[in-house]
Amino acid sequence: MSQTNRGRAQDRARVAAGQDHEVRYEAHKEGVSKAAVRDAVLEVGNSRNKVEAKLEEGD
């Protein structure tokens, strides 16, 4: 895990569904709605790889 400038741990392998900026980023990246990202997180968990695979599966 990397660290922020303030020394806090930063986990880029997770999608925090409660963080609007994370959901918005992932939705824009995958070309889907924010609701689709939140639904994917609820279905497969918060692993970024699993969420992205689930969103790509929907195409």
Side-chain angles (χ1 to χ4, degrees):
M1 251 189 295
S2 62
Q3 287 191 339
T4 65
N5 291 335
R6 293 178 152 183
R8 295 183 181 135
Q10 188 172 25
D11 191 358
R12 297 183 189 272
R14 305 278 178 233
V15 177
Q19 298 287 323
D20 187 57
H21 64 279
E22 292 235 6
V23 174
R24 191 172 54 241
Y25 167 79
E26 198 62 40
H28 182 275
K29 179 179 168 187
E30 295 296 324
V32 298
S33 68
K34 292 191 305 184
V37 173
R38 286 192 181 103
D39 290 344
V41 170
L42 287 174
E43 193 169 328
V44 299
N46 67 350
S47 165
R48 189 170 303 275
N49 290 336
K50 288 181 181 179
V51 169
E52 289 175 357
K54 179 67 179 169
L55 293 172
E56 290 171 7
E57 180 181 292
D59 287 350

